[in-house]
Amino acid sequence: MTKKAAKSTKKAAKAPIKKSMTGAEALVKCLENLGVEYIWGLSGGAAIPIFDALVGSKIKLILVRHEQGAAHIADGYARATGKPGVVLVTSGPGATNTVTGIMTAQMDSVPMIVLTGQTISPMLGKDAFQESDIFSITIPVVKHSYLVKKANDIPRITKEAFHITNTGRPGPVLIDLPKDITQGEFTGKTLDPEMDIPGYKTADKGSLKDIKKMAKLFNASKKPLLLVGHGAVLSGAHQAVAKLARKLNAPVTNTLLGKGCFPETDPLSLGMLGMHGTAYANKALVGCDLICSIGSRFDDRINGKNDEFCVGAKKLHIDIDEAEIGKIVEPDAYCVGDARLIVEELVKHVNPLDTEEWLKEVKFYKKEFPLKFNDDKGLTAQRVLFDLQELTKGDAIISTDVGQHQMWSAQFNLSTKGERWLSSGGAGTMGFGFPAAIGAQFGCPNDLVVAVVGDGGFQMTLFELATVFIHKLPVKILVIDNKYLGMVRQWQELFFENRLSGVDLEGNPNFIKLAEAYGIKGVHIDDPKHCKTRLKEALDFKGPVLIHAEVIKEDNVFPMIPAGRSASQMIIEPPTTKLEKPTGST
Amino acid sequence: MAKKKKDIHTISVKVANKPGVLLRCAQVFARRGYNIDSLVVSAGVNPKYSRMTITAQGDPETLEQIIKQTAKLVDVLHCEEHTGADSVTREVALLKLKSSAQIKSAITKHKRKYGLKIVDEGEGAIIIEQDGTTEELDEFEELMKKHGIIEMVRSGKLVMALGKEPT
């Protein structure tokens, strides 16, 4: 948890209790006391008492257009601010529509509170109108959840939920609230009761013995590589990681979600590694004699073929979640706890290393295998994102969707600070990028927020254009339109003899007119020559803009390590021979 | 019995007695394709907590993940695997057999060795309670099969760690 977030959850002021209060009123009071600024929601019968209690509250209720939008908005807010996002929906379909958003947050360890209305308690399990067993449905995708049985339990449950969601390894918490409970009388004595979660463990600073064991391996290394993940961002380990890298003189690579923990503009940074990571990061992965993961879980998009991952290298693992240790990679040394605290201690025990030769080798990879693109065939997504980088210099909050544009954005939009890069990594949820950008803009009203989305994913949640318009959010929506579900098309081209199946987005709307229909300005780009000026014009505009970048239809993301292969089998240039079908997970 | 004994694991879980905790624990096993053979849940001395004993089959690597993922659940205080060396296990079975002179003499013969108790003798049927280790229950079941077992229910394994510390 970041310091910022810790402060906000500790704010729980002790407000005097009104003489007569409903469960819903008690809930809203608790949320206010916990420092909640916004609730994103969509109303419905079973949730009316809660919506009613929000009338006159200092919490701003934002009405969205679809519950999935609410969940991703809350997620984006949380990723950008470190504070949990709060969602309020009704029972039945309202609740089930949040499931994708909850799963997305769970996969990426994002704090989120989901409040669901529920049918009245006596009707539970009787197939009441709009009844869904959301408690059971979401068990595999929440960090924790509650079905409230008594109004007087609301303060304890709310307090526990906020504690659980943003301590240890963050994750979403769902509270299911039957209508008779929220409508019924609250007769509790306090809104700030003791928590009752004896089984819950938060993170600590890790064992000194474990840290010393890691330091010993570092001190014997000649070619160390640091791998930073989302956990390092979440724990605010930025400075500690930088200190460690500089003391060791070690190159640093990052996962998709670890972007910004260590500045990607730093000479020691290799940018993102993995399936579509930079060639030099993947070459370093093959060449290193020690790899230390700081808050990453060795996702299969990083490891590829597990038994060929960093063969011969010592593997070190720092993670807040003990279950991650040995899940994919059996480490030679590890430490369980908060990444920042562990790295701060680790720095004290490592020696400055002589890595001159190693850095030379890495530098050679960087020079020999740079990221590249050209404008020969017309406007490419890479050109657009390259120009975006030139204009923003890593200062914008970038929220991506999922697919080719996401990988290109990860390659070209270098992050220099944490909490500025929002992307659905674990879940790979199309439709995430645009609403997440809205959440980030709510949380950071003075920052430039750019949603980098594809034409496919954008159409999954574009109804939140209304939310952008109503709240005058100056979000810049950059639609990279290649009229295909591009990543799948790429796989079909490379591995399935170019048999295209279910990827042609024929029938796309006129995106400019679509934006205008919602009262939002549209800017069209289709020429590499004008790309930067048009982009600048859009970014400088004070309100929301949809930038429609019509790019060449057929383009592939390289480098690429086919799923299930090792980093040594990376494809850097477009292949000329037929490739075997990938055997990895997806 | 000739079951693959190597792959059967006995796991104890101490949980806070909260709604849904059983569902959460079962889901950790189910998601990883682990079959639960038996599951016993009961409140502890302090009714705020419950103890589960789970026997399950599967490979040890997956089991390690399951134990860690179960231990991570908010309502779980701890989760451990037990081996024969560090714990005692017991199981109870009820068997309904056709009443006959042959059966009765078999019961008398095996009474002491297998910890048998006749709990009901009705018309044409006899209900026996057996208390012992899983292996003893398996053996006795095998012996009785030739006489024809009408019905059998088993409690599932209970485990308790040896020594003065709680399991």
Side-chain angles (χ1 to χ4, degrees):
Chain A
M1 178 161 71
T2 62
K3 279 180 202 163
K4 215 177 0 174
K7 233 186 237 170
S8 86
T9 41
K10 269 182 195 160
K11 254 194 229 159
K14 290 188 182 88
I17 296 187
K18 271 205 311 189
K19 277 202 181 120
S20 160
M21 217 196 282
T22 64
E25 285 168 335
L27 171 71
V28 170
K29 260 283 160 273
C30 291
L31 297 175
E32 287 175 352
N33 293 345
L34 286 159
V36 173
E37 297 174 280
Y38 290 104
I39 289 180
W40 293 278
L42 210 144
S43 55
I48 293 178
I50 310 171
F51 280 84
D52 185 57
L54 282 166
V55 175
S57 164
K58 58 184 173 188
I59 299 172
K60 288 170 225 119
L61 170 68
I62 310 293
L63 175 66
V64 297
R65 291 298 178 266
H66 188 285
E67 292 86 351
Q68 185 185 352
H72 293 324
I73 291 173
D75 182 317
Y77 171 86
R79 289 186 204 228
T81 64
K83 294 184 272 189
V86 183
V87 175
L88 169 61
V89 296
T90 192
S91 61
T96 57
N97 277 345
T98 64
V99 173
T100 301
I102 298 173
M103 186 271 274
T104 305
Q106 170 77 346
M107 286 289 263
D108 289 347
S109 311
V110 175
M112 181 191 287
I113 301 288
V114 180
L115 307 165
T116 53
Q118 181 56 281
T119 185
I120 54 171
S121 310
M123 285 303 285
L124 282 171
K126 293 179 184 166
D127 305 318
F129 177 66
Q130 290 191 334
E131 184 196 359
S132 70
D133 182 5
I134 197 67
F135 179 84
S136 302
I137 288 171
T138 53
I139 276 186
V141 293
V142 292
K143 182 171 176 187
H144 198 53
S145 49
Y146 296 90
L147 169 61
V148 183
K149 293 184 170 170
K150 288 187 288 223
N152 289 0
D153 288 341
I154 286 174
R156 176 184 54 80
I157 286 174
T158 312
K159 189 177 176 184
E160 288 175 6
F162 274 77
H163 176 63
I164 290 167
T165 196
N166 210 10
T167 50
R169 180 178 182 170
V173 178
L174 180 134
I175 308 175
D176 199 19
L177 294 141
K179 200 180 95 178
D180 56 321
I181 305 290
T182 52
Q183 207 160 246
E185 201 187 356
F186 172 79
T187 56
K189 290 188 176 62
T190 172
L191 291 177
D192 189 23
E194 290 293 310
M195 295 193 284
D196 179 26
I197 34 177
Y200 183 61
K201 304 125 206 142
T202 52
D204 63 9
K205 60 189 169 73
S207 120
L208 188 60
K209 201 177 135 212
D210 292 343
I211 293 172
K212 283 185 172 166
K213 192 177 169 193
M214 290 198 296
K216 213 174 154 188
L217 293 175
F218 265 115
N219 292 339
S221 165
K222 290 188 172 59
K223 301 165 87 181
L225 177 64
L226 301 181
L227 161 60
V228 291
H230 199 204
V233 176
L234 288 169
S235 76
H238 309 68
Q239 284 174 4
V241 167
K243 253 194 213 168
L244 183 66
R246 303 210 192 289
K247 189 165 181 190
L248 292 168
N249 241 325
V252 183
T253 182
N254 50 260
T255 66
L256 178 69
L257 297 190
K259 272 172 78 72
C261 176
F262 184 74
E264 289 182 298
T265 46
D266 192 286
L268 283 175
S269 174
L270 304 175
M272 182 178 76
L273 83 167
M275 182 179 277
H276 292 295
T278 64
Y280 32 96
N282 289 331
K283 294 248 174 213
L285 197 64
V286 178
C288 72
D289 70 359
L290 178 148
I291 181 159
C292 178
S293 160
I294 305 168
S296 107
R297 56 180 172 81
F298 293 108
D299 181 86
D300 48 82
R301 291 275 154 129
I302 290 166
N303 283 41
K305 194 167 185 195
N306 212 20
D307 51 6
E308 288 175 24
F309 177 71
C310 291
V311 183
K314 294 285 180 213
K315 298 173 189 82
L316 278 54
H317 197 174
I318 296 168
D319 208 291
I320 200 162
D321 181 356
E322 200 184 342
E324 293 299 345
I325 308 294
K327 185 180 87 177
I328 307 289
V329 165
E330 202 54 58
D332 296 285
Y334 66 89
C335 188
V336 176
D338 179 85
R340 179 176 63 84
L341 299 176
I342 292 170
V343 176
E344 276 172 2
E345 185 63 34
L346 181 62
V347 174
K348 297 180 199 161
H349 302 277
V350 296
N351 303 330
L353 301 179
D354 177 11
T355 56
E356 208 186 315
E357 282 304 309
W358 173 226
L359 290 180
K360 245 190 227 166
E361 184 182 331
V362 169
K363 217 172 157 184
F364 169 78
Y365 296 143
K366 271 189 161 183
K367 198 168 154 264
E368 210 60 18
F369 309 103
L371 291 168
K372 56 187 176 186
F373 66 92
N374 63 57
D375 299 328
D376 297 352
K377 289 183 193 154
L379 184 66
T380 63
Q382 294 98 306
R383 159 60 62 197
V384 181
L385 296 165
F386 180 85
D387 288 351
L388 178 67
Q389 173 68 15
E390 294 279 292
L391 293 167
T392 58
K393 299 281 179 217
D395 278 338
I397 296 177
I398 307 256
S399 174
T400 80
D401 216 76
V402 170
Q404 285 185 316
H405 71 276
Q406 177 191 32
M407 293 297 109
W408 280 317
S409 184
Q411 291 176 346
F412 288 95
N413 297 132
L414 304 181
S415 300
T416 52
K417 290 174 240 171
E419 296 179 342
R420 313 289 283 179
W421 170 263
L422 326 178
S423 196
S424 169
T429 303
M430 284 176 71
F432 167 85
F434 172 48
I438 297 175
Q441 192 76 80
F442 271 115
C444 309
N446 300 318
D447 288 322
L448 173 63
V449 179
V450 184
V452 176
V453 297
D455 48 324
F458 179 55
Q459 291 184 74
M460 292 185 174
T461 45
L462 62 77
F463 34 76
E464 301 306 341
L465 283 168
T467 311
V468 167
F469 174 73
I470 295 162
H471 299 283
K472 300 184 173 55
L473 299 168
V475 180
K476 313 298 178 235
I477 309 148
L478 175 54
V479 183
I480 310 275
D481 177 12
N482 63 357
K483 297 167 181 61
Y484 273 125
L485 295 169
M487 189 57 95
V488 176
R489 191 209 56 76
Q490 170 170 345
W491 282 45
Q492 290 176 347
E493 179 193 323
L494 295 177
F495 308 115
F496 292 83
E497 289 89 30
N498 206 26
R499 273 190 303 282
L500 302 191
S501 176
V503 291
D504 192 335
L505 290 176
E506 188 190 3
N508 269 352
N510 178 326
F511 285 104
I512 301 288
K513 279 191 180 166
L514 179 81
E516 284 166 3
Y518 278 98
I520 291 169
K521 179 185 165 77
V523 171
H524 181 81
I525 308 175
D526 57 11
D527 186 338
K529 281 192 227 102
H530 308 137
C531 181
K532 201 168 168 184
T533 28
R534 291 272 171 87
L535 258 183
K536 186 168 188 314
E537 173 201 326
L539 298 181
D540 288 346
F541 184 72
K542 292 284 175 252
V545 187
L546 185 148
I547 307 145
H548 179 226
E550 205 171 358
V551 298
I552 58 169
K553 285 184 76 174
E554 283 150 1
D555 198 1
N556 296 331
V557 186
F558 292 109
M560 177 181 197
I561 302 170
R565 308 265 169 80
S566 70
S568 58
Q569 292 163 291
M570 170 172 54
I571 304 164
I572 303 177
E573 302 288 338
T576 48
T577 51
K578 192 174 165 264
L579 300 170
E580 296 277 308
K581 283 193 179 67
T583 53
S585 66
T586 45
Chain B
M1 289 252 302
K3 267 190 191 170
K4 285 183 283 171
K5 285 195 177 157
K6 263 188 220 160
D7 293 331
I8 298 181
H9 307 278
T10 308
I11 302 135
S12 73
V13 193
K14 186 180 179 188
V15 300
N17 222 340
K18 301 273 174 95
V21 64
L22 177 60
L23 192 55
R24 289 182 213 277
C25 291
Q27 189 269 336
V28 173
F29 285 76
R31 180 176 170 188
R32 292 168 179 83
Y34 239 67
N35 284 332
I36 292 181
D37 287 346
S38 75
L39 170 72
V40 186
V41 192
S42 60
V45 182
N46 178 349
K48 269 191 78 175
Y49 305 111
S50 283
R51 259 286 309 281
M52 292 184 191
T53 308
I54 300 171
T55 54
Q57 294 181 55
D59 67 280
E61 265 173 40
T62 311
L63 180 74
E64 194 189 326
Q65 244 321 279
I66 287 175
I67 288 176
K68 285 176 171 176
Q69 295 291 354
T70 307
K72 195 168 91 177
L73 295 171
V74 171
D75 287 336
V76 170
L77 282 89
H78 61 247
C79 173
E80 273 167 52
E81 187 185 6
H82 293 277
T83 60
D86 67 9
S87 58
V88 286
T89 61
R90 284 294 180 277
E91 220 181 316
V92 175
L94 291 174
L95 286 96
K96 186 183 283 182
L97 304 160
K98 260 184 242 157
S99 191
S100 70
Q102 214 181 357
I103 288 272
K104 280 188 188 166
S105 86
I107 292 167
T108 317
K109 186 177 155 202
H110 296 300
K111 202 169 179 174
R112 183 165 281 187
K113 186 177 176 200
Y114 288 111
L116 308 176
K117 204 160 107 186
I118 297 172
V119 287
D120 185 67
E121 261 190 278
E123 209 169 303
I126 182 165
I127 298 176
I128 308 164
E129 175 190 319
Q130 187 193 2
D131 162 1
T133 65
T134 298
E135 292 72 23
E136 286 164 351
L137 264 63
D138 289 345
E139 271 176 40
F140 184 64
E141 182 192 338
E142 225 17 60
L143 278 174
M144 286 297 110
K145 264 186 185 163
K146 61 181 176 212
H147 300 292
I149 301 169
I150 300 170
E151 190 186 3
M152 183 187 72
V153 278
R154 286 167 69 151
S155 65
K157 210 185 256 188
L158 300 170
V159 69
M160 189 172 276
L162 299 174
K164 62 181 179 193
E165 296 301 322
T167 309

